[in-house]
Amino acid sequence: MAWSRITRGSLTQQTRKTLNNHLHHTITPRTTTTTTHHASLTNIPTKYLSSMGSRGIMGTPHYNFPSAERVVEESDIECENTITRINGLGPTQRGEKPRVVVLGTGWASCRFLKGLDTKIYDVVCISPRNHMVFTPLLASTCVGTLEFRSVAEPVSRIQPALSKSPNSFFYLASCMGIDTDKHEVYCETVDNVGLPQEPYRFKVSYDKLVIAAGAEPLTFNIKGVKEYAFFLREVNHAQEIRKKLLLNLMLSENPGISEEEKKRLLHCVIIGGGPTGVEFSGELSDFIMRDVHERYSHVKDDIRVTLIESGVQLMRGVVKEVHQKKIVLNDGTDVPYGLLVWSTGVGPSDFVKSLDLPKAPGGRIGVDEWLRVPSVEDVFALGDCAGFLEQTGKQVLPALAQVAEREGKYLVELFTRVGKQNGGKAFSGKDIPLGEPFVYKHLGSMASVGRYKALVDLRQAKDAKGISMAGFVSWLIWRSAYLTRVVSWRNRFYVVVNWATTLVFGRDNSRIG
C-alpha cells in the first residue's frame, strides 16, 4: 500500500478536455477557495502523492481512502497542477535523535516501550487504543471481581516520553499500510468523531519500525460467530459480556417467562478450552456459587456453564454454525444459549495479511533470530503478529503474553546496543553486531478454575521435571504471580483493593449502560 509521488505531466488538449469533463461530474471541491478535491475516480488506475509536510501533524485532504486523490496513469495521462499532500511527521534531520515507530499497545510493544532508552531514541506509538490490557485478569472483570480500570494501563504511564518529550508522540489511529522503501507508515483515525475531515489520515516517517499489532480471534469461518458470539480480548469485550450476563439474569426473573426460555437465557456457553476459556469458566463458577445463589435466588438452580472444546471437556463436539439463540454442533446437536463467549485462539489480522512481507507458518510476519524482518531494512516484528521463518529452524512460538513480553525485553537490549553504536538512523545499522539471538524459555502456565483453586504447571515441557500442582496453594501462587506482573503500582493497588472488596462484600451486580 505504498503512496508513490505524483509528477506533473503534460496533457494533450483533447485528453485535458476529457479528463476535466470527468472530474466535473465526479469531484466535489472541499470549499470554494481551495483546489484540493474530494475524488472518487474508482475506475482509473492511480498513484498517491507522497510529498511531505512539516514535522508536526497538519491538515489532511478530504478524500476517500484508500483511493486518495486519483490521477490518470494510463496513456501517460496525469492531471496537470493536481497536488495533494498527505501530511505528518517527516524524516528525522541531522542532529535529531533516531525515531522509533511502534505499532500496537499489547504486551510486546508495551514491554518494549517501557524499556526503550529515550535518551537515545524518540518514539512514536500508533494504536487504536491508548492503553495496555492485562489480559490474564480480564476474565475477572466480566463478573465484577475486578473493576475494568484495574486491568488497563495507559500507555503514557508505561512510557512517559510519549506525553512529555517534544519529539515523541502517541497517535490514536490504525496503521493502514507501510512503505518500507521510503520508511513511512500510513495511518487512519476512527471516523464519526467530529473532525473536519473524516476519517483523518496522516503518515509518519521512521528510522526503525517495530510491528507489534497483535492478532485477531480465530473463527474458522464458522457462520454466525462474528454476529452472535462475544470475544474476550479487550476491555470493551468484557464490558459487553458483563452487561449481557446481568441482563439475562434479570430478564429470567420476569413473570411469564417459560421454563425453556429461562433455561436458555441462563445457559452460558464458552467455546474453547484454552487459558482464557478455562479462567472465564472459573470466574463464572465463582460468581454463580456465591453471588447468583444469594442475589438471584429465584433462578439460581437454572443457571449453568458449558465449556465446549473439540475432543475434551464437559461437552464434546465441534461447532458447525452459530445462531442468535443456539449453536449447532457437527453431529446435528442444538445447544441453546443466552451468552456465548468465543475463545478458540488467535490468528493473523487483516492488516498483517495485507502486508507485503515474508510470512511465517500460520500467516504471521516472518522474522529471523533477532526479530528482524529480513527482506527489508530497519523493520522488526514481535508478539502475536510475528513468527520465526522456516529457514531459522525455530518453531513458531505460541501467542502468549509471556512470549510477547520476553520478545519486547530482548528488543530493548538490541536497540540499546545498536543505538550506542550510532546505528539508530535509517539504513545505518547494517554492519553493527546485534549480539546473541532471541531464545525463548517457557516459564510455565497458570489458570484459575474457580472456588479458590487453580492449576499451576511450571515445567518447560509436558514431560519435563518441575512443579505441577492444583488446589488452594496453586490459587495463592496464581494470584501472587499475576499481581507481581501487573504493570504499575497503581494498578496493583487497584487489584488488591478489588480482591479484598469482593471477598468481604461480594461482587457488584449493577448493570450500567
Side-chain angles (χ1 to χ4, degrees):
M1 192 185 290
W3 289 344
S4 57
R5 191 174 297 275
I6 295 176
T7 59
R8 298 182 182 180
S10 60
L11 298 174
T12 65
Q13 184 175 2
Q14 181 62 34
T15 302
R16 280 200 191 94
K17 182 177 180 181
T18 302
L19 182 58
N20 287 335
N21 289 337
H22 190 67
L23 291 174
H24 177 74
H25 294 289
T26 58
I27 298 180
T28 303
R30 290 173 59 195
T31 67
T32 57
T33 60
T34 180
T35 58
T36 304
H37 298 290
H38 182 144
S40 58
L41 307 185
T42 56
N43 295 323
I44 303 177
T46 64
K47 291 181 180 179
Y48 293 119
L49 174 69
S50 183
S51 54
M52 186 59 72
S54 67
R55 285 186 50 79
I57 293 296
M58 298 176 63
T60 304
H62 191 189
Y63 49 75
N64 288 330
F65 190 89
S67 301
E69 184 159 48
R70 301 201 178 255
V71 299
V72 179
E73 191 177 42
E74 295 177 338
S75 304
D76 296 325
I77 299 176
E78 296 206 11
C79 186
E80 183 178 348
N81 295 326
T82 302
I83 297 180
T84 306
R85 290 181 180 274
I86 307 300
N87 293 294
L89 290 182
T92 53
Q93 305 300 315
R94 181 176 297 181
E96 294 180 333
K97 291 183 288 186
R99 181 188 299 140
V100 179
V101 173
V102 181
L103 305 180
T105 50
W107 278 83
S109 55
C110 285
R111 181 61 184 86
F112 174 76
L113 287 168
K114 182 179 181 180
L116 186 66
D117 190 345
T118 53
K119 294 180 180 178
I120 301 176
Y121 297 97
D122 288 324
V123 59
V124 174
C125 180
I126 302 168
S127 175
R129 70 181 190 195
N130 72 338
H131 58 274
M132 171 191 169
V133 179
F134 191 80
T135 48
L137 292 177
L138 189 58
S140 299
T141 65
C142 297
V143 295
T145 305
L146 297 177
E147 293 299 323
F148 299 111
R149 66 177 179 177
S150 301
V151 300
E153 186 68 30
V155 68
S156 59
R157 287 181 177 269
I158 295 172
Q159 178 45 265
L162 292 172
S163 58
K164 296 180 179 179
S165 178
N167 291 324
S168 294
F169 306 94
F170 170 79
Y171 297 138
L172 189 71
S174 297
C175 180
M176 307 303 292
I178 302 171
D179 189 327
T180 56
D181 293 329
K182 295 183 178 181
H183 277 46
E184 293 175 347
V185 297
Y186 306 103
C187 307
E188 177 178 297
T189 64
V190 296
D191 54 6
N192 297 321
V193 292
L195 292 175
Q197 301 90 27
E198 290 190 340
Y200 190 91
R201 301 172 184 98
F202 59 92
K203 64 183 175 182
V204 178
S205 296
Y206 64 85
D207 292 299
K208 296 287 187 288
L209 175 64
V210 177
I211 305 174
E216 293 181 353
L218 284 174
T219 64
F220 307 102
N221 295 319
I222 296 174
K223 181 181 177 181
V225 174
K226 291 184 178 180
E227 291 82 359
Y228 304 119
F230 291 93
F231 302 106
L232 186 53
R233 292 183 56 80
E234 304 286 349
V235 172
N236 65 295
H237 295 163
Q239 291 171 327
E240 293 301 319
I241 290 172
R242 177 173 169 78
K243 288 195 292 185
K244 180 65 173 176
L245 177 63
L246 293 175
L247 176 65
N248 287 355
L249 280 166
M250 290 182 284
L251 290 179
S252 65
E253 290 189 312
N254 288 340
I257 299 292
S258 66
E259 287 299 315
E260 181 181 5
E261 181 66 8
K262 182 184 298 184
K263 290 182 183 297
R264 183 193 67 80
L265 285 170
L266 297 177
H267 187 198
C268 303
V269 177
I270 298 98
I271 308 294
T276 301
V278 170
E279 291 197 336
F280 180 63
S281 300
E283 289 289 344
L284 267 179
S285 175
D286 279 348
F287 177 62
I288 292 168
M289 294 302 297
R290 179 175 180 180
D291 300 272
V292 173
H293 279 214
E294 178 181 340
R295 302 177 189 179
Y296 298 93
S297 58
H298 299 101
V299 297
K300 65 181 180 179
D301 296 328
D302 295 311
I303 188 167
R304 61 193 180 104
V305 179
T306 298
L307 181 66
I308 298 180
E309 173 62 270
S310 178
V312 284
Q313 88 318 344
L314 298 180
M315 179 178 288
R316 296 176 180 268
V318 176
V319 177
K320 181 181 179 181
E321 290 182 354
V322 175
H323 299 274
Q324 188 174 9
K325 297 183 179 182
K326 69 177 182 178
I327 61 176
V328 181
L329 302 183
N330 61 341
D331 61 359
T333 303
D334 289 346
V335 182
Y337 69 87
L339 173 67
L340 176 62
V341 176
W342 192 271
S343 176
T344 58
V346 295
S349 65
D350 291 338
F351 167 68
V352 169
K353 293 176 182 177
S354 72
L355 296 178
D356 187 18
L357 297 174
K359 297 298 193 296
R364 300 185 188 181
I365 299 171
V367 296
D368 63 12
E369 297 95 322
W370 293 273
L371 305 181
R372 299 177 300 180
V373 180
S375 62
V376 294
E377 287 290 327
D378 301 318
V379 178
F380 299 78
L382 63 163
D384 293 355
C385 71
F388 288 119
L389 290 166
E390 290 183 358
Q391 53 263 40
T392 63
K394 293 187 175 183
Q395 185 177 3
V396 175
L397 297 173
L400 298 174
Q402 61 173 295
V403 174
E405 186 178 27
R406 301 278 289 284
E407 289 178 337
K409 182 179 179 180
Y410 170 83
L411 201 61
V412 165
E413 298 171 355
L414 188 152
F415 270 54
T416 301
R417 187 180 304 112
V418 169
K420 288 182 177 179
Q421 299 180 67
N422 298 319
K425 289 284 189 175
F427 303 106
S428 63
K430 293 181 181 180
D431 300 324
I432 295 178
L434 300 180
E436 295 295 323
F438 175 74
V439 176
Y440 171 71
K441 293 183 179 179
H442 187 60
L443 300 179
S445 57
M446 303 179 184
S448 171
V449 294
R451 302 186 187 183
Y452 303 106
K453 295 179 181 179
L455 305 174
V456 174
D457 187 353
L458 303 183
R459 299 172 296 177
Q460 291 192 6
K462 184 177 180 181
D463 300 326
K465 294 181 180 180
I467 298 175
S468 180
M469 56 192 299
F472 179 72
V473 175
S474 298
W475 180 80
L476 292 176
I477 295 173
W478 170 80
R479 282 211 162 180
S480 301
Y482 278 6
L483 186 62
T484 61
R485 303 311 302 163
V486 173
V487 177
S488 68
W489 283 103
R490 182 196 72 154
N491 277 26
R492 290 174 193 169
F493 176 75
Y494 285 159
V495 170
V496 170
V497 169
N498 290 167
W499 279 344
T501 302
T502 298
L503 181 65
V504 175
F505 301 107
R507 297 168 179 83
D508 181 23
N509 65 340
S510 301
R511 185 183 184 274
I512 301 173

